[in-house]
């Protein structure tokens, strides 16, 4: 679901949420729908019920004080998502930008730009008013090497509801009891700066840094095969939020949610309000004024994505068809498996399995008898042998035949006469002419 206050803008760009061609080719296994709504981030509507995650990327700095002050009550008091993410520019990084506005801001529609301390103050105020949430901070973008004290270019606060954390941790504990998790992940707190190398005898911490070669932020870690299950276990990484939660619980006596219940969050913030403006949203101030009732929600566009038809095949049939598809693909694309002297293809069974969808199988012992039952020759070394002339796998020439439309078939005396005239130097272009004999020799 996408929500914006500018109806004209989102109506213009609503088409971008339509399914792509790949969505029709690779259909989703479950229902997925996208809705575009006109509405305000500070107003509640029934369409926002049961929202699991709220994402506000680079939006709060565009809001006026009254709207900004209404956000916490709407998001954390009414919608109550499991997770909420808010990001905003880090004003400390602005010393590295040329061409800032007279206000010192990056964009003409920005009402303010916060330092990291100011952003944390805003987030902590929310957690005091709504103690069922905890927050974790993350830096966005690499920090400049020459002045790392200014921090990253932008900053994000991730709010997580405590009961949701507890549910995830319960699932993680259940998997640990069942043997899915074999090691205990040490509690870590992510730093905005790339961590240095770990000491001797200490487990290596993930290293997050900016890779200049690829131009992206990457995470490097030493993987242990014994930790693979733990890495994909639900709730992995909860220890970061658990550190915050423990800290909040330990200081719970010092926090009185009623103290800030009615206090505006932006009371100590200096706002810049442009003088020559005719609207109050995202900078399109040359247009007409917004409708005063624009706080009301209105559905602009909705679309359902293609969904897979129910698969009624039995498991052996599914495995056979998927394996045969991978065998055909490998035979067509990988000439390395073709042996010319024997005129046969030799494709490792393990390679076929590794190309198949992980939800189907990774067991050679399960797939081997299925392929053997379909008359495939499999050696003791688990290599599939295919005859180079076997049309049952690659397909015959008849599979690639097609019929020309009647309009494309040259009529008698038409295109053929033109060629005969050009070759024969006259009107001798009938059947059996010199031009026909030359054509037959060329085709032969």
């Amino acid at each position: 679901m996408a929500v914006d206050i500018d109806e004209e803008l989102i109506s213009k760009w609503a088409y971008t949420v339509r399914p792509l061609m790949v969505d029709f080719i690779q259909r989703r296994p479950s229902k997925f729908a996208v809705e575009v709504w006109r509405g305000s981030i500070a107003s509640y509507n029934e369409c926002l019920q049961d929202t699991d995650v709220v994402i506000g990327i680079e939006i709060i700095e565009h809001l006026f004080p009254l709207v900004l002050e209404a956000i916490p009550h709407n998001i954390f008091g009414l919608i109550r998502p499991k997770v909420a993410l808010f990001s905003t520019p880090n004003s400390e990084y602005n010393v590295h930008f040329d061409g800032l506005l007279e206000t010192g801001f990056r964009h003409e529609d920005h009402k303010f730009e916060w330092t990291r301390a100011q952003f944390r103050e805003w987030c902590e105020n929310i957690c005091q008013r709504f103690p069922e949430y905890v927050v974790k901070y993350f830096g966005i973008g690499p920090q400049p090497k020459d002045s790392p004290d200014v921090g990253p270019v932008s900053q994000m606060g991730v709010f997580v509801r405590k009961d949701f954390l507890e549910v995830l941790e319960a699932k993680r504990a259940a998997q640990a009891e069942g043997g899915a998790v074999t090691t205990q992940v040490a509690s870590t707190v992510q730093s905005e700066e790339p961590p240095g190398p770990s000491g001797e005898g200490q487990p290596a911490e993930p290293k997050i840094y900016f890779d200049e070669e690829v131009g992206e932020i990457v995470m490097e870690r030493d993987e242990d095969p014994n930790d693979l299950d733990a890495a994909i276990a639900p709730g992995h990484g909860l220890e970061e939020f658990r550190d915050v939660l423990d800290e909040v619980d330990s200081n719970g006596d010092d926090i009185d949610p009623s103290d800030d219940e009615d206090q505006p969050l932006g009371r100590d913030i200096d706002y810049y309000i442009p003088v020559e403006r005719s609207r109050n949203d995202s900078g399109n101030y040359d247009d007409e004024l917004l409708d005063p009732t624009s706080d009301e929600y209105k559905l602009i566009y909705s679309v359902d994505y293609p969904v897979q038809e129910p698969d009624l095949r039995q498991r052996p049939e599914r495995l056979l068809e998927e394996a045969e598809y991978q065998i055909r693909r490998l035979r067509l694309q990988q000439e390395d498996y073709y042996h010319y002297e024997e005129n046969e293809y030799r494709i490792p069974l393990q390679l076929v399995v590794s190309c198949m969808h992980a939800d189907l199988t990774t067991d050679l012992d399960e797939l081997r008898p299925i392929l053997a039952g379909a008359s495939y020759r499999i050696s003791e070394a688990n290599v599939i042998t295919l005859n180079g002339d076997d049309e049952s796998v690659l397909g015959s020439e008849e599979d690639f035949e097609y019929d020309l439309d009647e309009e494309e078939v040259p009529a008698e005396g038409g295109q053929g006469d033109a060629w005969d005239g050009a070759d024969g130097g006259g009107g001798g272009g009938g059947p059996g002419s010199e031009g026909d004999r030359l054509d037959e020799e060329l085709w032969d």
Side-chain angles (χ1 to χ4, degrees):
M1 176 186 296
V3 179
D4 194 277
I5 199 172
D6 192 336
E7 180 176 350
E8 180 181 352
L9 184 66
I10 59 178
S11 297
K12 176 182 178 181
W13 295 100
Y15 75 91
T16 58
V17 303
R18 295 175 182 172
L20 302 176
M21 180 64 70
V22 67
D23 294 308
F24 290 91
I25 298 174
Q26 183 109 16
R27 296 173 178 255
R28 297 173 179 267
S30 58
K31 181 179 179 181
F32 180 76
V34 177
E35 295 180 351
V36 179
W37 288 78
R38 189 279 312 275
S40 171
I41 191 176
S43 301
Y44 180 76
N45 187 271
E46 293 181 355
C47 68
L48 301 175
Q49 288 183 352
D50 302 323
T51 298
D52 290 329
V53 180
V54 171
I55 302 175
I57 301 298
E58 309 293 296
I59 184 175
I60 59 177
E61 66 273 8
H62 293 270
L63 305 178
F64 283 96
L66 292 178
V67 179
L68 181 65
E69 292 166 7
I71 286 180
H73 175 67
N74 185 41
I75 301 297
F76 301 97
L78 299 178
I79 301 176
R80 301 188 71 253
K82 297 175 182 176
V83 180
L85 302 89
F86 286 97
S87 72
T88 190
N90 172 24
S91 62
E92 300 171 69
Y93 194 92
N94 287 356
V95 296
H96 291 279
F97 285 123
D98 295 328
L100 293 173
L101 302 177
E102 295 180 358
T103 60
F105 297 157
R106 307 176 189 180
H107 191 276
E108 58 188 3
D109 189 55
H110 285 185
K111 312 304 186 297
F112 59 87
E113 290 182 3
W114 282 339
T115 63
R116 287 172 291 176
Q118 289 173 317
F119 178 60
R120 293 194 178 206
E121 180 184 359
W122 183 75
C123 295
E124 295 296 337
N125 198 327
I126 291 176
C127 290
Q128 290 182 16
R129 294 179 60 188
F130 305 94
E132 63 271 27
Y133 284 90
V134 291
V135 64
K136 184 69 182 177
Y137 306 101
F138 297 90
I140 301 177
Q143 299 182 92
K145 296 180 180 179
D146 54 345
S147 53
D149 294 338
V150 302
V153 66
S154 191
Q155 52 194 333
M156 175 180 289
V158 180
F159 298 84
V160 181
R161 214 171 62 200
K162 294 180 182 178
D163 61 340
F164 178 58
L165 278 177
E166 294 172 356
V167 170
L168 293 180
E169 289 184 336
K171 291 182 179 180
R172 180 181 175 186
Q175 286 197 352
E177 293 177 358
V181 179
T182 58
T183 58
Q184 181 178 1
V185 181
S187 298
T188 59
V189 177
Q190 178 166 341
S191 171
E192 292 176 350
E193 298 182 2
S198 57
E200 293 293 334
Q202 298 294 329
E205 298 287 348
K207 301 180 181 63
I208 301 177
Y209 61 93
F210 180 74
D211 192 325
E212 296 182 353
E213 183 177 351
V214 299
E216 294 182 357
I217 299 176
V218 297
M219 180 174 70
E220 176 184 341
R221 60 168 295 180
D222 297 329
E223 294 201 8
D224 185 345
N226 296 327
D227 292 339
L228 292 180
D229 292 334
I232 61 175
H236 176 66
L238 296 180
E239 60 280 350
E240 296 184 1
F241 285 96
R242 176 54 63 188
D243 292 342
V244 181
L245 185 58
D246 293 340
E247 181 179 351
V248 172
D249 291 341
S250 63
N251 299 327
D253 297 337
D254 301 331
I255 299 176
D256 184 2
S258 61
D259 292 344
D260 294 322
E261 188 66 30
D262 300 324
Q263 296 295 328
L265 293 178
R267 56 190 182 279
D268 296 330
I269 301 172
D270 294 330
Y271 290 92
Y272 165 69
I273 302 178
V275 178
E276 298 180 358
R277 291 181 61 86
S278 63
R279 68 185 308 158
N280 62 349
D281 59 335
S282 58
N284 300 319
Y285 48 84
D286 293 332
D287 300 334
E288 298 178 359
L289 286 171
L290 292 176
D291 187 346
T293 64
S294 60
D295 283 351
E296 298 179 1
Y297 276 68
K298 175 183 177 182
L299 181 62
I300 303 299
Y301 181 74
S302 65
V303 59
D304 293 322
Y305 274 57
V307 180
Q308 295 177 359
E309 295 293 335
D311 193 349
L312 303 179
R313 297 173 298 170
Q314 298 294 326
R315 180 173 176 82
E317 184 180 0
R318 292 178 58 199
L319 292 175
L320 177 60
E321 292 185 2
E322 175 68 16
E324 287 185 331
Y325 167 76
Q326 298 298 341
I327 292 172
R328 289 194 298 269
R329 185 181 66 84
L330 292 170
R331 179 176 175 178
L332 287 170
Q333 299 179 359
Q334 303 290 338
E335 295 185 358
D336 296 339
Y337 305 115
Y338 180 68
H339 296 261
Y340 290 91
E341 294 181 359
E342 295 84 1
N343 187 27
E344 62 184 18
Y345 290 86
R346 298 173 185 172
I347 302 175
L349 181 59
Q350 180 60 55
L351 178 62
V352 176
V353 172
S354 63
C355 293
M356 296 174 63
H357 292 292
D359 59 339
L360 287 178
T361 185
T362 55
D363 189 0
L364 295 179
D365 295 335
E366 181 182 12
L367 184 59
R368 180 185 175 103
I370 295 176
L371 290 175
S375 301
Y376 282 88
R377 290 183 296 161
I378 305 176
S379 67
E380 295 182 358
N382 286 325
V383 175
I384 304 173
T385 303
L386 304 172
N387 190 292
D389 301 325
D390 186 3
E391 297 179 350
S392 62
V393 177
L394 185 59
S396 63
E397 295 182 358
E398 296 179 356
D399 296 332
F400 300 97
E401 289 184 355
Y402 61 93
D403 296 328
L404 292 174
D405 295 335
E406 293 183 358
E407 298 178 356
E408 299 178 1
V409 179
E412 290 189 18
Q415 196 173 14
D417 290 343
W419 280 104
D420 291 338
D423 293 336
S433 63
E434 183 68 21
D436 289 339
R437 287 193 294 273
L438 290 174
D439 289 341
E440 291 176 358
E441 293 177 0
L442 288 174
W443 282 109
D444 291 340

